[in-house]
Amino acid sequence: MTDAQAIDALGWERRTFPPSEAFKQNALVSDTSMYDDGAADYEGFWARQAADLLTWSKDWTTTCDWKLPAAQWFVGGELNVSYNCLDRHVLAGRGDKVAFHFEGEPGDTRTITYADLLDETQRFANVLKSLGIVKGDRVNIYMPMIPEAAIAMLACARIGAAHSVVFGGFSALSLTDRINDAEAKLLITADGGWRRGEVFPLKQTADEALLHTPTITDVVVVRRGGNEVSMQDGRDHWYHELMATADPVCPAEPMDSEQLLFLLYTSGTTGRPKGIMHTSGGYLTQVAFTHKYVFDLHPETDVFWCTADVGWITGHSYIVYGPLANGATQVMYEGVPNFPGNDRMWQIIEKYGVTIFYTAPTAIRTFMKWGAQEPAKHDLSSVRLLGSVGEPINPEAWMWYQEHIGGGRCPVVDTWWQTETGAIMISPLPGATTTKPGSATFALPGIGTELVDENGEHVEHGGGYLTLTQPWPAMLRGIWGDPERYHETYWTRFPGRYFAGDGAKLDDDGYLWLLGRVDDVMNVSGHRISTTEVESALVSHPAVAEAAVVGANDPTTGQAIIAYVTLRGGAEVDEQVLRNHVGTEIGSIAKPKAIYFTPDLPKTRSGKIMRRLLRDVAEGRNLGDTTTLADASVVSELQRRASEVPPED
Ligand code: PRX
């Protein structure tokens, strides 16, 4: 937790930004009555949203059935998620409306209307059926950022198979683990995708993963990179070949509101990644609601661009399900923000007339480094609203974003939520909330938050633990295959409430300021990585005896992974070799920024590694009391090394 910084920020961050009159005039919400509605009766509030925003085949009988820790929403109700995202827009005469302006990294483009998307989704749903996929099965998706990723997800939803998307940057081992945990029958992947001017191979990595996945019977491969791949007879099929002969009609079958929609794996404090479960009716209600009101969506005129990858929850909720449920027009971009030049994002905004832009603080800080002259090369006057997600946004980055991307005229919504919450929980409503740079402001209508101290007592002012006090429609329904762990992880630290793992502060005006994780989960560029997982990866190298990993503050990525490693007697290994080893075990995003070799790790006399102290060393802070250490000399040696080796790549 970065207490010191946040306290500083509170000390001087006094700027406030009320919504402009011009923005308010056309805003969907411009007063606070919605908060009163949500507070008066949150179940009734969400029931009204579910009825207003979605099309149901059968009404529900109970809005929320809540037996801690199990929630069910819209019990007895039936709907089809893909029908809500596609058919109903086409049936209403909006088939020609653009769903995606797709921009490939090499500059190729595709315009995909709602009618196109429905057609492809129906065909692909029939492909899934022809490969033996039925309601209740799990399907793994390992794809670049191309429209087929969304089509694959929607086709699964159409027939009631749950998808489990694994981010394309994860390693073969990570993919294997996730496939096996979900016992998926089918893998959908691509030959490769474009990244920084080159094709990165996906099929090749998938092939490695597939050596150890007994449940997978078939693999569908989209041609994107054009790179050479080997296709295994009987198991592997080209997407375009299957689609060419697929039946174009696949009616959307009504599903139970609590039908499993997807699993998404995320890091926890201990052990293996958790398969977070999300279901249909409640999830779609809240993603549609938040996408509409947090982004003040006017679907006829807005062009929405969320820069996340579909492999993360942000991509699920704010590229696929929320925007499509609302009939929005979006930009989907495949590649990196600096190819071919540092102005690629701004060029895309200008090209498509993007009106709402949603990105992560780590990206904003990178844009700041590249300089304001990059956005200045382009006409960004179409932009009317900016969003931020994934990590605390520091006031400087917020101000830069507001000024250089928003031209000083756009509200900035800092949105706090998690894989587990499924949808945005804390955020301004841009036409109603006066924002403060760096604050996510208040819980949304219908959401209950409370800051508590160590003992679970209410905190009125100052720092505390962020808890959620009542069920919400898009909440996770559990951890796949491990109900015990679900209860234990989220509902026991503060009995009766969900603990999100984040610290926060309340200022004099009741604004929430998120402070980051209080547990052993790092947040690197907005991605959650557990210290335990990186440690296990390091220790799995034959030269390593012991490893301790901490997240240290980093000006660009929020936190950086710093590892302290003790080698086995006589063993020698290069830092780069170990970094690559972690890359192979987990994926490039988990490679430590710096690895310090040390003959010993600082431990308490009971043998616990003192991570706080290692964080202090990594961040160059003065160390406080080290008298509980078994061997204090270990630390002075580490400090000496840390000051010698600059933690840079
Ligand atoms: O620590 C919080 C941080 O990201 C965590 C959730 O990560 P993940 O499940 O990967 O989902 C990221 C995208 C929703 C949270 O526990 N976080 C997310 N948004 C914010 C944030 N921290 C501060 N401010 C935010 N706006």
Side-chain angles (χ1 to χ4, degrees), residues 314 390-392 414-419 502 514 517 523 528:
T314 308
E391 40 177 328
D414 173 15
T415 64
W416 178 91
W417 57 296
Q418 309 179 294
T419 304
D502 282 340
L514 274 304
R517 309 285 308 180
N523 189 325
R528 272 161 66 176

Side-chain angles (χ1 to χ4, degrees), residues 87 155 207 291 368 560:
D87 306 57
D207 282 339
H291 180 256
M368 284 170 78

Side-chain angles (χ1 to χ4, degrees), residues 533-571:
E533 271 179 273
V534 181
E535 285 166 4
S536 311
L538 284 165
V539 175
S540 74
H541 189 280
V544 175
E546 201 173 25
V549 165
V550 296
N553 285 334
D554 184 275
T556 306
T557 57
Q559 283 192 307
I561 305 177
I562 308 294
Y564 298 88
V565 166
T566 306
L567 295 178
R568 289 177 193 237

Side-chain angles (χ1 to χ4, degrees), residues 283 286-287 290 313 317-318 416-418 421-425 472 474:
Y283 172 79
Q286 199 180 332
V287 294
T290 49
I313 190 69
S317 301
Y318 299 105
W416 178 91
W417 57 296
Q418 309 179 294
T421 69
I424 298 171
M425 303 291 280
W472 62 101

Side-chain angles (χ1 to χ4, degrees), residues 274-294:
K274 304 173 284 200
I276 302 299
M277 295 160 68
H278 282 291
T279 59
S280 303
Y283 172 79
L284 200 63
T285 298
Q286 199 180 332
V287 294
F289 169 81
T290 49
H291 180 256
K292 178 170 176 177
Y293 292 106
V294 169

